[in-house]
Amino acid sequence: MTERKPIASGSDWNFEVLERFETEIGRLADEYRLDTYPNQIEIITTEQMMDAYASVGMPVGYHHWSFGKQFLAVEQAYRRGQMGLAYELVINSDPCIAYLMEENTLMMQVLVMAHACYGHNSFFKGNYLFRTWTDAGSIVDYLLFARRYLAECEERHGVTAVEQLLDACHALQNYGVDRYKRPSPISAEEEARRQQERSDYLQAQVNTLWSTIPGRPSEEGHQEDGDAEDPLGLHAGGRYPPEPQENLLYFIEKNAPLLAPWQREVVRIVRKLAQYFYPQRQTQVMNEGWATFWHYTLMNRLYDDGLVDEGLILEFLQSHTSVVHQPAFDSPHYSGINPYALGFAMFTDLRRICEHPTDEDRRWFPEIAGSDWLETLHFAMRNFKDESFIQQYLSPKVIRDLKLFMVLDDDRDEMLEVTAIHDDRGYQRIRDGLAVQYALSVREPNIQVWSADIRGDRSLTLRHVQDNRRPLARSVYPVMRHLHQLWGFPVKLESLEDDEVVRRYHWPLPEDEQNDA
Amino acid sequence: MTYFIDRRANARHKSAVNRQRFLDRYRTHIKRSVEEAVNRRSITDMERGEKVSIPARDISEPVFQHGSGGKRSIIAPGNKEFVEGDRLRRPGGGGGGGSGEGSASNQGEGMDEFAFTLSREEFLDFVFDGLELPHLERKNLVDLDEVRPVRAGFTRDGVPARINIVRSMREAHARRIAMRGPIRRALREAQEALEAEERKDPVLRNPARIAELKAEVERLEKRLEAVPFIDTYDLRYNNLVNQPQPSSKAVMFCVMDVSGSMTQAHKDIAKRFFLLLYLFLERNYEKVELVFVRHHTAAKEVDEEEFFYSRETGGTIVSSALTLVDEIITDRYPPTQWNLYVAQASDGDNWDDDSLTCRDQLANTLMPRLQYFTYVEITPHAHQALWEEYEKVEAEYPERFAMRQIVEAGDIYPVFRELFRRRTVQS
């Protein structure tokens, strides 16, 4: 047994103690090959923490009423003690910014440092989605640019105009991401410089697109190819856009007929931020699981090395246990699967499979059973997102431990049916089912821009491809209203089931349907 | 590489703008909640912030989502009894109207209301939104404590610290021009005479005259130099005079009828009315004093505790209270210095002839000295003599006298709003 020489005891902290802990955690993290951005640890007050929460973790957000709403909600929850704030604020930037709340006990500060500064931080730096989609070095600059730009817009065009525009953009921001193209990172200065250029150029392009006077398509026989006025053949026939577009906001930014240049820039800003948060939406389980796994491992090492005392480690274990608690489906506290619990269970189990594989593990994971655990975990962290991570690594043991089961909810059947449970026949199905449950493409309705009627009434048509007959929620109307605001002309949405349009939505509503909606 | 940064001293209220925008946006909803809160609240509670709720559907930020229906599989944790193939009933009756929005919660428990807490300031802002104190006036004060020095031109004497340099230099310049002018003229004449004398034919020159003129020029040049650049006579000082300051002090007289007919419920209503008024005055004046007067057949000035909780009771003579108020004003609150408000609450039950006395007293003695007089009659019954007499006062002072009837607690706030609604500007 190591002789215990704790760095500090009790629950009070000071900077010197924090720095010493940080150094120790850093040393251990190095041993585990956690590669991180430099850490910038900021000590803040409760109120500042609530601010940070409210602006979805953006260190410098633009102003919008919804962040105010968020703030009030957080404040309410915190006051009533329904929420601990301390855990989870870390920003994917370089240097990586993590917040420590001044009210935290010493244990919490150490825990947050392990969790955020080494867990999340290494995930941000290592995971392929973040590597591909976010540029940690420039995000803070870009946020500053966005904030300044929007403040200028407010000055010039009024708060209400900007607010309505943001409302509309926010409604569509989940459909403002590129899934396949990688955006090129640029700095804020570059962004500001290009912005003017862009707005001029963009407007010119839109003007070209909409330059013909709306009217009937040309009569038959009149071939219009090679028209000097329409070199791109945009008006020559066929559908525009030629391919369906999944990035709604991008399409609007480039094509909406009536937007002013500054409005296009705002659309772009919301789109860019949505893109920045896109990897986070796809790696919740992994990201939280990874950070939780590492705080657990690092804290235990600190204890093993005699650097923390029994009191602290007990306090830690209590806190950790509540974080990874998974209420059962019939518990009043149940609100879906707890990403911390699932992620932690999976990474912990992955280590177990490497270190102490059973026969079952060897059957299920022939390649990793008995392999180097650290290597395997790092590989998993780097190369997957929630969907594929579960598909790849959810083991029968974790399924049993969490007692997962699968229920089929078919509205044509008056009963629900349990289609798989945690037994031999169910493992594979549950694993597939859970992976699907985390696929963004399944979680969110599949909606794309289908056509813009550039020769006729300028209406915009979207298409929704139904997944297993699942209809759109009623929120479709308010979203269409926002879309209409951006587009400026009628918008339509067709819901397709097996290539057949089964439902049409319009905005503005035709007179006779007005009461219906 | 790790840096620690202490941000605690940074600006707070970073979210204040967003918060304010949210409140502005939902002003009407919040006002409704606040109104309910005011009616529901206990007295001591009024000063705190308030939790308000807004229907979630009004503040939702819509996004495209899956609705209920169709076919989907859900994975959930914590299976205890099910085996594959089990069929079970849908929880919560399934498929019924309402919102089955997205989230895979099988508890069917959605968010119906968005609740949050207003700070005390925000709360009171909403409570008193659109209301104003009638006849807000800043009273002049002769009291010497309440003076403030203001600049009032320049003086010739003062302390060095208050010298106005520009003014002083300007004075000096003017003086120099004035004093040196005649000397210069004389000098010029003497020089011209000297030159004329010297130009003469040497035979005709008068050496005595030349010497005389030379001496004169010399004398004059000396005199010119002797004119001082700056003189104490030139100095100007900034003048400060003490000006009496308008006072922003107000006093409110809470006059409550505690006669036998006033029930506990009546008193509660009265108290809440006074409390609203107090909070309102507190927001408008730097200093607000309260004077509590309770009366049955006799009036008595009491402290807050006794005002609200004493059980003494008896018949009713309203004028006794008015007389007492008048005396207190004369004694302690000269109308030149104080904004005077009287709020009276009674059930309107008065001793036979006394109502007439009340009217006289109000119309002739009190009203000329008051900013505003409000009378609330807390009764479900028909009005009696007092009300009728007061109506006459109201006719005489339509802008500064207001009366309303309150039947139940729910009326307090609306009546209050009516009494203090923002009026169109009157001369």
Side-chain angles (χ1 to χ4, degrees):
Chain A
M1 175 121 187
T2 336
E3 199 192 329
R4 210 152 281 288
K5 284 201 198 101
I7 292 176
S9 54
S11 60
D12 293 339
W13 57 268
N14 59 46
F15 281 94
E16 195 199 337
V17 167
L18 290 191
E19 272 168 40
R20 286 182 57 201
F21 270 114
E22 202 280 334
T23 311
E24 291 301 329
I25 298 170
R27 176 181 60 83
L28 294 170
D30 231 27
E31 258 179 50
Y32 290 117
R33 301 199 297 264
L34 294 176
D35 181 24
T36 60
Y37 295 119
N39 279 305
Q40 178 171 322
I41 301 176
E42 306 196 354
I43 313 287
I44 59 176
T45 61
T46 319
E47 187 182 325
Q48 287 169 324
M49 182 61 102
M50 292 192 283
D51 272 333
Y53 254 86
S55 50
V56 274
M58 293 191 287
V60 275
Y62 49 80
H63 293 309
H64 189 255
W65 67 271
S66 63
F67 302 140
K69 166 186 146 187
Q70 202 55 38
F71 179 86
L72 289 165
V74 169
E75 190 185 31
Q76 183 78 4
Y78 181 65
R79 293 259 157 86
R80 275 184 292 180
Q82 291 171 341
M83 189 173 109
L85 282 174
Y87 235 62
E88 238 346 85
L89 245 172
V90 51
I91 290 161
N92 167 27
S93 61
D94 178 9
C96 181
I97 303 169
Y99 295 121
L100 302 189
M101 235 177 12
E102 68 172 339
E103 275 110 288
N104 285 353
T105 60
L106 176 65
M107 185 284 293
M108 282 307 280
Q109 307 293 36
V110 178
L111 170 56
V112 174
M113 285 194 289
H115 183 91
C117 304
Y118 291 93
H120 283 307
N121 189 345
S122 61
F123 193 85
F124 291 146
K125 195 171 178 192
N127 180 266
Y128 86 103
L129 274 180
F130 288 88
R131 295 180 78 92
T132 317
W133 293 103
T134 65
D135 181 25
S138 67
I139 181 63
V140 174
D141 279 350
Y142 188 77
L143 288 171
L144 276 170
F145 159 77
R147 182 193 173 99
R148 211 167 36 229
Y149 190 83
L150 282 159
E152 274 169 28
C153 289
E154 282 174 355
E155 236 165 70
R156 221 171 291 155
H157 309 284
V159 172
T160 318
V162 176
E163 185 169 274
Q164 279 177 359
L165 181 61
L166 283 175
D167 280 354
C169 293
H170 287 178
L172 296 168
Q173 66 184 345
N174 287 350
Y175 293 84
V177 293
D178 288 316
R179 280 162 222 236
Y180 310 110
K181 270 181 295 179
R182 185 193 193 285
S184 56
I186 33 175
S187 73
E189 292 154 60
E190 178 71 2
E191 189 70 32
R193 196 183 61 70
R194 284 201 203 168
Q195 183 262 312
Q196 185 55 42
E197 229 180 290
R198 187 162 58 223
S199 70
D200 299 343
Y201 176 70
L202 205 69
Q203 197 57 42
Q205 263 200 327
V206 172
N207 290 345
T208 316
L209 179 63
W210 297 99
S211 66
T212 49
I213 299 158
R216 300 280 136 240
S218 56
E219 286 164 37
E220 276 183 67
H222 275 262
Q223 271 307 100
E224 278 188 309
D225 51 353
D227 190 341
E229 300 244 306
D230 185 21
L232 301 174
L234 292 176
H235 307 285
R239 209 160 43 75
Y240 182 80
E243 296 288 328
Q245 304 284 311
E246 63 165 8
N247 192 331
L248 265 52
L249 283 182
Y250 183 80
F251 187 80
I252 283 164
E253 181 193 332
K254 302 297 179 197
N255 296 290
L258 301 179
L259 289 184
W262 70 270
Q263 292 169 318
R264 290 183 207 280
E265 190 64 28
V266 172
V267 174
R268 183 183 172 83
I269 286 171
V270 175
R271 192 165 69 73
K272 287 272 170 193
L273 293 177
Q275 191 80 59
Y276 169 75
F277 287 113
Y278 182 57
Q280 313 209 354
R281 289 200 290 138
Q282 295 182 87
T283 52
Q284 231 202 340
V285 171
M286 282 186 80
N287 201 346
E288 296 305 354
W290 179 257
T292 305
F293 175 83
W294 283 111
H295 81 221
Y296 182 78
T297 307
L298 292 169
M299 291 300 275
N300 276 301
R301 276 295 306 274
L302 286 178
Y303 179 75
D304 292 345
D305 290 2
L307 297 168
V308 299
D309 59 21
E310 272 92 357
L312 192 138
I313 205 74
L314 279 175
E315 190 191 344
F316 159 71
L317 283 173
Q318 201 221 327
S319 169
H320 173 79
T321 317
S322 65
V323 165
V324 299
H325 176 62
Q326 173 65 67
F329 74 99
D330 53 357
S331 147
H333 302 293
Y334 178 72
S335 61
I337 290 176
N338 174 0
Y340 294 83
L342 178 61
F344 178 71
M346 285 182 67
F347 278 114
T348 309
D349 192 54
L350 210 47
R351 178 175 182 172
R352 181 197 58 78
I353 293 169
C354 295
E355 291 184 323
H356 312 288
T358 61
D359 287 346
E360 181 183 62
D361 297 325
R362 281 185 226 284
R363 250 194 346 271
W364 278 71
F365 305 101
E367 272 154 36
I368 60 173
S371 70
D372 176 70
W373 73 269
L374 199 52
E375 198 58 50
T376 306
L377 256 70
H378 274 292
F379 179 84
M381 177 274 282
R382 278 197 299 273
N383 297 301
F384 296 87
K385 56 183 170 184
D386 286 349
E387 180 187 356
S388 51
F389 178 64
I390 289 166
Q391 181 66 57
Q392 190 73 20
Y393 294 114
L394 184 67
S395 70
K397 175 159 191 310
V398 171
I399 294 174
R400 281 194 301 270
D401 288 349
L402 290 171
K403 301 193 173 64
L404 297 178
F405 67 113
M406 179 149 93
V407 175
L408 178 68
D409 179 357
D410 185 339
D411 63 348
R412 288 181 185 166
D413 186 343
E414 61 185 29
M415 305 280 271
L416 300 176
E417 188 179 333
V418 176
T419 43
I421 65 159
H422 44 90
D423 60 12
D424 262 337
R425 299 197 316 150
Y427 296 143
Q428 191 64 48
R429 260 182 284 163
I430 284 176
R431 181 205 264 196
D432 294 346
L434 194 60
V436 166
Q437 203 160 302
Y438 279 97
L440 267 194
S441 56
V442 176
R443 276 200 309 208
E444 288 172 357
N446 172 4
I447 294 174
Q448 304 196 338
V449 175
W450 177 250
S451 79
D453 187 357
I454 54 175
R455 287 180 307 277
D457 63 1
R458 303 191 173 191
S459 63
L460 178 71
T461 306
L462 307 183
R463 280 199 161 176
H464 165 228
V465 179
Q466 280 192 4
D467 168 50
N468 279 313
R469 295 183 289 102
R470 292 173 68 190
L472 290 170
R474 292 176 69 86
S475 64
V476 63
Y477 284 108
V479 180
M480 296 268 290
R481 196 167 47 94
H482 283 310
L483 182 62
H484 172 247
Q485 209 190 339
L486 294 173
W487 185 250
F489 292 94
V491 289
K492 301 170 189 170
L493 175 66
E494 302 171 345
S495 228
L496 272 74
E497 190 188 324
D498 300 329
D499 292 334
E500 238 176 83
V501 177
V502 291
R503 170 113 209 228
R504 289 174 206 276
Y505 305 88
H506 300 267
W507 196 276
L509 291 174
E511 295 290 315
D512 52 327
E513 270 182 48
Q514 214 116 46
N515 302 328
D516 196 37
Chain B
M1 213 34 152
T2 300
Y3 313 85
F4 281 88
I5 302 176
D6 191 347
R7 290 256 190 242
R8 285 173 292 179
N10 272 27
R12 300 170 68 236
H13 306 304
K14 229 169 93 186
S15 257
V17 178
N18 292 329
R19 191 181 163 109
Q20 210 48 53
R21 288 202 180 163
F22 175 77
L23 295 184
D24 282 347
R25 195 182 165 99
Y26 297 102
R27 185 155 280 277
T28 44
H29 286 296
I30 297 172
K31 269 175 92 169
R32 202 174 312 137
S33 285
V34 164
E35 231 159 89
E36 282 161 20
V38 171
N39 289 335
R40 199 183 54 226
R41 278 187 157 200
S42 72
I43 292 165
T44 43
D45 247 14
M46 271 298 294
E47 295 222 34
R48 281 200 282 105
E50 167 66 13
K51 201 180 113 185
V52 299
S53 310
I54 295 179
R57 105 192 95 81
D58 289 322
I59 51 157
S60 64
E61 296 165 76
V63 290
F64 285 127
Q65 278 176 329
H66 287 299
S68 50
K71 187 173 131 186
R72 57 182 179 155
S73 288
I74 303 156
I75 310 276
N79 175 27
K80 288 176 239 12
E81 72 246 56
F82 304 133
V83 294
E84 194 186 320
D86 274 359
R87 293 172 63 77
L88 31 139
R89 213 163 289 290
R90 279 207 169 72
S99 56
E101 310 288 53
S103 93
S105 158
N106 63 358
Q107 218 55 30
E109 196 136 313
M111 247 210 354
D112 287 323
E113 297 238 294
F114 178 74
F116 58 95
T117 311
L118 292 177
S119 70
R120 172 181 189 263
E121 279 306 302
E122 285 165 342
F123 177 66
L124 291 179
D125 267 346
F126 278 103
V127 171
F128 298 124
D129 184 39
L131 302 184
E132 72 173 7
L133 266 187
H135 314 292
L136 197 82
E137 228 176 74
R138 304 224 142 193
K139 299 265 174 170
N140 269 326
L141 206 94
V142 275
D143 209 299
L144 273 185
D145 295 345
E146 294 276 334
V147 292
R148 198 185 61 176
V150 291
R151 288 178 81 153
F154 309 94
T155 57
R156 286 167 186 270
D157 38 33
V159 294
R162 291 213 188 122
I163 286 180
N164 185 309
I165 293 174
V166 174
R167 271 288 159 152
S168 302
M169 294 313 285
R170 202 183 288 166
E171 289 291 331
H173 188 57
R175 180 184 48 76
R176 286 201 307 272
I177 291 171
M179 285 178 73
R180 294 167 64 158
I183 303 172
R184 273 181 199 280
R185 211 177 310 128
L187 180 64
R188 209 182 316 124
E189 279 164 13
Q191 279 171 332
E192 276 164 14
L194 181 63
E195 274 169 39
E197 197 62 36
E198 280 176 339
R199 263 196 311 269
K200 280 183 184 167
D201 189 277
V203 181
L204 294 174
R205 257 182 238 166
N206 181 349
R209 170 95 176 126
I210 288 177
E212 192 187 312
L213 283 170
K214 277 192 174 162
E216 175 70 2
V217 167
E218 204 176 322
R219 189 185 64 84
L220 286 170
E221 279 176 343
K222 272 207 178 111
R223 266 194 68 191
L224 209 54
E225 265 174 45
V227 172
F229 181 76
I230 192 154
D231 197 293
T232 40
Y233 173 84
D234 302 329
L235 296 181
R236 290 295 180 273
Y237 299 88
N238 291 329
N239 188 26
L240 297 178
V241 296
N242 288 329
Q243 210 176 56
Q245 275 308 288
S247 123
S248 45
K249 296 194 289 193
V251 56
M252 189 183 73
F253 293 89
C254 305
V255 178
M256 184 161 65
D257 184 346
V258 290
S259 60
S261 52
M262 287 284 283
T263 63
Q264 198 52 45
H266 285 168
K267 287 179 195 164
D268 272 345
I269 288 175
K271 284 185 258 176
R272 298 178 73 149
F273 186 80
F274 291 137
L275 185 86
L276 270 176
L277 187 54
Y278 169 71
L279 288 174
F280 191 41
L281 289 173
E282 202 199 12
R283 289 169 74 77
N284 281 278
Y285 290 100
E286 281 157 30
K287 189 174 172 212
V288 181
E289 286 200 9
L290 286 170
V291 175
F292 297 102
V293 173
R294 61 204 301 280
H295 73 90
H296 36 89
T297 47
K300 189 176 166 197
E301 186 183 350
V302 296
D303 60 15
E304 191 174 348
E305 183 74 10
E306 196 178 347
F307 183 74
F308 287 129
Y309 301 108
S310 165
R311 294 162 169 277
E312 191 187 351
T313 183
T316 319
I317 295 179
V318 175
S319 67
S320 65
L322 298 180
T323 311
L324 181 61
V325 167
D326 197 46
E327 282 167 22
I328 296 172
I329 291 176
T330 311
D331 277 1
R332 298 180 353 227
Y333 300 102
T336 47
Q337 297 177 29
W338 290 86
N339 292 282
L340 304 168
Y341 292 86
V342 177
Q344 186 187 6
S346 168
D347 57 358
D349 198 8
N350 197 8
W351 183 255
D352 287 348
D353 295 332
D354 189 54
S355 298
L356 210 63
T357 320
C358 289
R359 190 189 78 184
D360 282 348
Q361 221 164 11
L362 264 174
N364 301 330
T365 328
L366 268 177
M367 282 316 290
R369 310 168 81 172
L370 297 181
Q371 240 47 44
Y372 200 57
F373 187 104
T374 55
Y375 171 61
V376 289
E377 191 162 294
I378 307 165
T379 175
H381 307 298
H383 301 304
Q384 298 178 43
L386 188 63
W387 180 272
E388 281 154 24
E389 293 302 325
Y390 271 19
E391 273 180 334
K392 293 175 191 155
V393 182
E394 192 180 24
E396 203 174 329
Y397 296 95
E399 273 134 47
R400 294 195 288 124
F401 187 97
M403 49 196 272
R404 289 288 181 283
Q405 183 185 6
I406 289 180
V407 175
E408 50 175 33
D411 296 341
I412 299 171
Y413 187 55
V415 165
F416 185 84
R417 288 199 69 93
E418 229 184 302
L419 291 174
F420 291 96
R421 72 181 183 279
R422 189 162 292 145
R423 287 136 215 267
T424 45
V425 184
Q426 289 162 346
S427 56

